[in-house]
Amino acid sequence: LKGTLSGRDVNELMEQCHPLGMFKESTMRLCTTFDNSPKGYADLYQTVLVETPVGKYFSALLDEKSSKLETAAEVRHVLEEVEIEILKNSLMKLYLEDFYYFCMELGGDTFTVMGEILKAKADQRAINITLNSFGTPLNEPSMRDGEGWPTRKSLYPSIGFLYPEGTELLVKVADEAALGSALDKVGGVYAQIWAVHQNEAINDKSIDDAFFEREVQLLELAFEGQMHLGCFYAYVKLKEQEIRNLVWISECIVQQQKDEINKFVPLFSLNAPWRVGR
């Protein structure tokens, strides 16, 4: 969307799109034909967004900004003025919540397994959003709290192990020290993950690495049960981690950093950090 609005070449944009997306090539090329006008933005919304599987999330998002979804000026404002990361985080929040409640309707072991995974993912996003907001407008007192959009609070998923008491603590923090204190109050795995962040320079391990390790742990546990659908989701997500591992190994080889090559998150390994207690 951003590329289309700025007039970038459609072939360049298509090369950057995920190959598993549902957009046909004809639809992608159609995006560049809309006029840079209120009517053009309304047509873009109606043609490209509403009729896609994620259309309902765009609808919910735009509904927070305007009383009528067809208001082209509001659509244009959201697509042009809002930072792309805020837009992505807002859509991901709605997706996670919808996915969680869908699994709740399925019930049984599927919800037990998927509920754990999705709540952990929601907490990860809440912590990362808070950490990445420091030094940005989202960390201004008026932008941390409130029911408007976008505020930092509005980007936090309304699910998770942290929600609601923990996320209320996150809303109030203004720097890394305050964030660390909030996570220490929460305790458990999040206090441990924050300790990894604080010791990154010593252990050469980032907070993202710690989150990936925890996610892999939960995904592997999905295969310990029977007669549930969570294993299919876990399989796909573990494949994504495998891709990240291969990319890391390849980059280490290309950059001749072979001493760093083993710093990836192993899958189904007896030496996995969560199995050996590291």
Side-chain angles (χ1 to χ4, degrees):
L1 290 175
K2 284 286 186 179
T4 300
L5 296 174
S6 60
R8 292 176 59 186
D9 181 68
V10 66
N11 293 315
E12 178 185 351
L13 295 173
M14 290 176 63
E15 289 178 357
Q16 299 177 14
C17 291
H18 197 291
L20 294 182
M22 297 186 66
F23 281 154
K24 298 179 181 178
E25 181 176 345
S26 58
T27 303
M28 293 297 296
R29 295 188 179 279
L30 183 64
C31 293
T32 62
T33 64
F34 294 110
D35 296 329
N36 189 15
S37 64
K39 183 180 184 302
Y41 288 101
D43 291 341
L44 172 65
Y45 170 69
Q46 292 290 344
T47 304
V48 178
L49 301 182
V50 172
E51 297 179 0
T52 66
V54 296
K56 59 182 179 180
Y57 305 128
F58 274 97
S59 296
L61 184 60
L62 294 172
D63 195 27
E64 298 180 27
K65 294 294 294 176
S66 63
S67 58
K68 295 182 179 180
L69 294 178
E70 294 80 8
T71 303
E74 291 293 335
V75 175
R76 179 173 181 171
H77 170 75
V78 171
L79 299 184
E80 279 193 317
E81 303 297 332
V82 178
E83 292 184 15
I84 191 65
E85 284 302 316
I86 293 179
L87 185 61
K88 286 165 60 177
N89 283 321
S90 299
L91 294 173
M92 197 61 174
K93 159 189 159 69
L94 296 173
Y95 162 74
L96 283 174
E97 292 170 352
D98 191 32
F99 196 0
Y100 180 82
Y101 293 122
F102 170 74
C103 293
M104 182 183 292
E105 291 180 1
L106 294 179
D109 288 344
T110 295
F111 177 60
T112 301
V113 171
M114 288 302 301
E116 294 278 312
I117 294 172
L118 295 176
K119 286 193 289 186
K121 176 63 70 175
D123 291 344
Q124 176 184 346
R125 298 196 69 82
I127 293 171
N128 279 336
I129 287 168
T130 306
L131 183 60
N132 294 332
S133 72
F134 301 146
T136 74
L138 281 180
N139 197 38
E140 298 295 329
S142 61
M143 295 290 287
R144 295 177 201 154
D145 202 351
E147 300 303 324
W149 185 87
T151 63
R152 197 167 72 191
K153 182 179 181 179
S154 71
L155 301 179
Y156 297 155
S158 60
I159 60 171
F161 298 107
L162 290 176
Y163 182 81
E165 292 85 356
T167 50
E168 284 299 322
L169 293 175
L170 297 184
V171 168
K172 300 174 183 177
V173 305
D175 51 39
E176 287 201 16
L179 176 55
S181 298
L183 294 179
D184 284 339
K185 290 181 181 178
V186 174
V189 65
Y190 296 118
Q192 298 171 13
I193 288 175
W194 185 250
V196 170
H197 175 69
Q198 290 181 307
N199 298 318
E200 180 175 354
I202 301 175
N203 299 328
D204 197 20
K205 184 176 177 181
S206 70
I207 191 171
D208 288 333
D209 295 329
F211 276 125
F212 281 137
E213 286 180 356
R214 187 188 182 215
E215 182 179 36
V216 166
Q217 174 185 356
L218 294 174
L219 295 172
E220 289 182 1
L221 288 174
F223 292 91
E224 298 294 325
Q226 302 181 40
M227 305 301 292
H228 66 83
L229 303 176
C231 58
F232 298 104
Y233 176 87
Y235 175 83
V236 173
K237 289 299 180 181
L238 287 172
K239 281 294 182 183
E240 290 180 357
Q241 180 60 52
E242 190 174 26
I243 292 171
R244 285 192 290 267
N245 291 346
L246 290 173
V247 170
W248 172 261
I249 293 171
S250 301
E251 289 180 347
C252 286
I253 294 173
V254 171
Q255 298 175 20
Q256 298 183 356
Q257 298 290 329
K258 295 185 179 180
D259 291 341
E260 307 290 319
I261 206 167
N262 291 320
K263 294 180 180 179
F264 58 86
V265 182
L267 308 182
F268 294 107
S269 170
L270 295 178
N271 296 320
W274 66 275
R275 283 197 173 93
V276 297
R278 293 200 303 270

